[in-house]
Amino acid sequence: MTATTVHIGCGAGFAGDRWDAAVPVVASLARRSGPRYLMYETLAERTLALAQQARIENPAAGYSPYLERILRPVLKSVKANGIRVVSNFGAANPLGGARKILEMAREDGIAGLKVAVVEGDDLTAVMTEGDIRGHDPVEGIAMPDGRLVAANVYLGARPIADALALGADVVVVGRCADPALALGPLLHEFGWSLDDLDRVAAGTMAGHLLECGAQVTGGYFADPGYKDVPDFGHVGFPIAEISADGTVVIGKADDTGGLVSHRTVKEQLLYEMHDPSAYLTPDVTLDISGVRVEEIGPDRVRITGARGKPKPPTLKATVSFEGGWLGEGEITYAGPNARARAELAIEVLRTRVRDLGTNWPLRFDLIGTVATFDGDGGDLRASRSWPDDGEYRVRMATHGGERHMAQWIADEVLSLYCSGPAGGAGVRHRIAPQITTASILVDRERVTANARLVEEN
Amino acid sequence: MAENDRADSNRIVRVPLHEVAHGRTGDKGNRVNISVIPYHDEAWPLLLEQVTPERVKAWFAAKGAGTVTRYELPSMPAMNFVIDDVLQGGVNGALNLDGHGKSLAFHLLTMPVEVPARLALHPEKATG
């Protein structure tokens, strides 16, 4: 019998999300009936490149380094309650991730767990580097130089539905469109055709609302006195109820803090959205320009009216390159005349870096003014006056090709302790390897996605 | 409502957009989008009139903002700004602290707007 309502909870909205967020989501899903799913979105643009580098060092690695931390607390419970898990935590090595999950199941005495992988997102398996570089980037970024680290195409929901049809309890994906983590289960449960554009659009919208975890339940939202969120330290992660007709209701895990309101939903609907009438995904072009958002109960919001237009002719891929080194350092000046001492520190740093004989770009911030809003030239700070006394944190940042130069420049901040203005305090400095990314559009014929069940080694 | 109160609530105040609307930033490549959602639906036409793409571009000049496109969603109501080139490289090689532009919605929300006092959450924050 075809389901009437599918429940999909979200256990993570990014790689660094709360390790225990899924626990109340699973406890809530366990009390409900019908098809129930738990999705985790753990793969930002750069995360996959880092995973690819980890895999180069260790062929068994390359899946999300957080996989065990986020999945083990709920693995026994999801299997016992028939809740199925769908996630892109396979990152650069879905097969390795699947084997890790099977190993965890064995260690925890979970019998009969079926794990599937979805593969086919790795473009380097089907295209040469020259071919990849021959594609013009989109989204206003030039094709970076540097060594190619990873190139992965955003897969759609169909192979996820295929994996579920194989009976998988856990589906491990690498790169896929984030909303596909929800749309896949909906295609599987409702038997929707991908040509049923309005329903596919509704499922995509549900996935879009879920994919950032707490961002639809009060996270990235709370603003005291303006947008208050109760028991925010225990913010509950979202659970969507999707009906066969495409109606979406967003709620959250039972016995948690947080808030689901028309405002939390509207902010998240528009998050990372450009033209609201043309949100491009591998499966559909989503149009949310006419949706209705209604509060239908405490922490329950119904969203209707998503429209679908035909999917774009190409698939988007993220290509990642080694991007040199970031060097940065910070030091604080506080108390009387703090601003003048901080400004003197900046002047000293400029002199010192110039004496190193480098032309690396430098950015200076005076944290405590408008540093986050300002451009690299500091025009916004210069346009206003700031108090002489108070607390100012100087930040210097630079970027270039050689590791040692990044270190030398960052070290100039450290040396301000003894050789800089009076009272310099709290130095933090570091260098970090950078990954640069660009997006390209790839012909669909170049990409073949497939789903298969995995046995433990 | 007493006559004086009504007059007071209709008084035009100049307040930061933060008193009238909320929003959030998202990023893609070297672009950000910022949603602007009024607390009172009645503020919507005033925001359309005052929070224009031209004004937003000027507001983000220090960041090197390029093309600014405003999408209007009257059914919510909300508007969505897409601002090009504002991340100064995006998370790619950007030297600023906020490579994703996460904070930038709050920069837009500091822009002054003029509305009747009743449409501002804290009209006492008026600057004129």
Side-chain angles (χ1 to χ4, degrees):
Chain A
M1 194 184 86
T2 306
T4 55
T5 304
V6 175
H7 296 249
I8 305 177
C10 181
F14 78 113
D17 217 336
R18 300 235 166 105
W19 67 275
D20 55 350
V23 174
V25 173
V26 169
S28 304
L29 289 172
R31 288 189 282 269
R32 302 187 186 184
S33 57
R36 288 151 300 156
Y37 289 82
L38 173 67
M39 63 181 255
Y40 296 91
E41 198 292 290
T42 65
L43 211 53
E45 285 189 341
R46 245 150 220 81
T47 319
L48 203 148
L50 298 174
Q52 186 63 39
Q53 287 178 323
R55 189 181 184 180
I56 289 166
E57 287 172 25
N58 172 6
Y63 52 84
S64 167
Y66 299 96
L67 186 154
E68 182 173 8
R69 180 121 164 105
I70 59 179
L71 184 59
R72 197 187 279 271
V74 297
L75 190 57
K76 188 169 263 182
S77 181
V78 294
K79 176 62 177 163
N81 290 287
I83 299 162
R84 303 168 86 178
V85 177
V86 180
S87 176
N88 55 11
F89 49 33
N93 188 1
L95 182 60
R99 288 189 172 133
K100 178 68 192 176
I101 293 165
L102 288 165
E103 180 191 312
M104 284 160 48
R106 179 169 43 76
E107 289 166 356
D108 294 351
I110 302 164
L113 189 78
K114 291 170 97 173
V115 181
V117 289
V118 170
E119 294 166 316
D121 62 305
D122 184 358
L123 281 183
T124 62
V126 293
M127 289 168 73
T128 65
E129 180 166 346
D131 196 355
I132 291 167
R133 284 185 182 277
H135 287 72
D136 285 331
V138 295
E139 296 173 356
I141 285 179
M143 185 66 83
D145 301 325
R147 196 180 67 79
L148 179 71
V149 178
N152 296 77
V153 68
Y154 286 82
L155 300 177
R158 173 54 63 199
I160 294 173
D162 291 345
L164 293 167
L166 296 172
D169 298 301
V170 182
V171 180
V172 185
V173 191
R175 178 64 77 205
C176 68
D178 297 343
L181 298 170
L183 181 59
L186 297 171
L187 296 181
H188 173 67
E189 295 294 344
F190 292 136
W192 288 345
S193 156
L194 282 171
D195 296 326
D196 190 347
L197 295 179
D198 287 346
R199 285 190 174 83
V200 171
T204 298
M205 181 178 69
H208 174 68
L209 287 168
L210 288 167
E211 70 174 79
C212 292
Q215 282 196 188
V216 73
T217 56
Y220 200 37
F221 177 85
D223 189 7
Y226 293 81
K227 297 180 290 173
D228 291 299
V229 177
D231 192 15
F232 193 35
H234 298 118
V235 63
F237 275 46
I239 297 175
E241 298 155 40
I242 302 99
S243 308
D245 68 356
T247 299
V248 177
V249 174
I250 296 288
K252 66 181 184 69
D254 306 338
D255 308 317
T256 59
L259 172 72
V260 182
S261 72
H262 74 99
R263 297 193 188 286
T264 67
V265 167
K266 286 172 181 171
E267 280 198 19
Q268 190 55 23
L269 266 176
L270 290 170
Y271 178 70
E272 289 185 345
M273 179 91 33
H274 288 177
D275 180 351
S277 68
Y279 183 72
L280 305 178
T281 79
D283 297 311
V284 72
T285 298
L286 168 62
D287 176 359
I288 61 153
S289 60
V291 299
R292 285 189 68 190
V293 179
E294 305 161 275
E295 294 181 355
I296 56 170
D299 292 317
R300 284 174 64 79
V301 171
R302 181 169 61 208
I303 310 102
T304 50
R307 301 296 305 273
K309 302 174 190 170
K311 65 192 179 193
T314 49
L315 292 172
K316 190 171 103 169
T318 300
V319 287
S320 306
F321 303 85
E322 283 183 352
W325 292 82
L326 176 74
E328 54 185 340
E330 296 176 7
I331 184 166
T332 289
Y333 296 89
N337 212 28
R339 184 169 56 81
R341 285 180 284 129
E343 287 170 351
L344 176 59
I346 290 174
E347 195 184 315
V348 169
L349 289 168
R350 274 191 209 283
T351 303
R352 293 291 307 173
V353 174
R354 192 173 58 230
D355 291 352
L356 285 173
T358 169
N359 59 358
W360 282 26
L362 294 177
R363 174 179 168 122
F364 291 98
D365 288 304
L366 211 47
I367 296 170
T369 58
V370 280
T372 45
F373 296 159
D374 215 340
D376 290 347
D379 296 348
L380 198 58
R381 171 160 60 91
S383 71
R384 299 184 219 171
S385 61
W386 305 95
D388 293 338
D389 306 344
E391 182 169 338
Y392 294 98
R393 188 158 174 83
V394 170
R395 174 176 177 271
M396 177 174 70
T398 190
H399 178 261
E402 296 85 36
R403 179 185 178 135
H404 74 272
M405 182 56 74
Q407 187 70 59
W408 287 356
I409 294 173
D411 284 347
E412 288 298 336
V413 178
L414 181 63
S415 68
L416 289 175
Y417 265 149
C418 286
S419 306
V427 170
R428 299 283 186 277
H429 75 311
R430 63 158 199 158
I431 63 168
Q434 300 295 290
I435 298 283
T436 57
T437 64
S439 297
I440 59 172
L441 301 176
V442 178
D443 289 338
R444 286 176 180 268
E445 301 75 56
R446 307 292 296 268
V447 177
T448 310
N450 72 291
R452 64 189 170 99
L453 290 172
V454 176
E455 306 294 328
E456 192 174 8
N457 269 6
Chain B
M1 195 188 284
E3 199 60 37
N4 281 348
D5 289 349
R6 188 171 297 122
D8 193 55
S9 76
N10 287 330
R11 170 176 56 98
I12 299 296
V13 292
R14 182 178 170 86
V15 290
L17 180 56
H18 184 238
E19 296 299 322
V20 183
H22 59 102
R24 89 173 35 170
T25 321
D27 73 300
K28 270 212 175 105
N30 197 18
R31 295 182 179 137
V32 298
N33 82 294
I34 300 177
S35 55
V36 174
I37 305 164
Y39 284 106
H40 297 282
D41 291 359
E42 199 189 337
W44 167 248
L46 296 171
L47 297 185
L48 278 181
E49 206 177 283
Q50 296 180 39
V51 190
T52 59
E54 295 74 27
R55 210 173 153 212
V56 171
K57 182 176 161 74
W59 198 249
F60 284 92
K63 280 277 195 191
T67 305
V68 174
T69 309
R70 182 175 80 180
Y71 296 97
E72 295 160 20
L73 297 106
S75 71
M76 280 197 192
M79 43 190 166
N80 188 39
F81 289 92
V82 176
I83 311 175
D84 286 356
D85 306 323
V86 76
L87 293 180
Q88 304 200 295
V91 279
N92 286 346
L95 296 180
N96 62 81
L97 267 175
D98 183 15
H100 293 282
K102 296 272 183 194
S103 70
L104 294 182
F106 280 82
H107 184 42
L108 183 55
L109 292 175
T110 57
M111 177 187 277
V113 291
E114 292 180 359
V115 297
R118 65 177 184 282
L119 299 182
L121 293 197
H122 305 85
E124 68 278 10
K125 295 204 175 178
T127 56

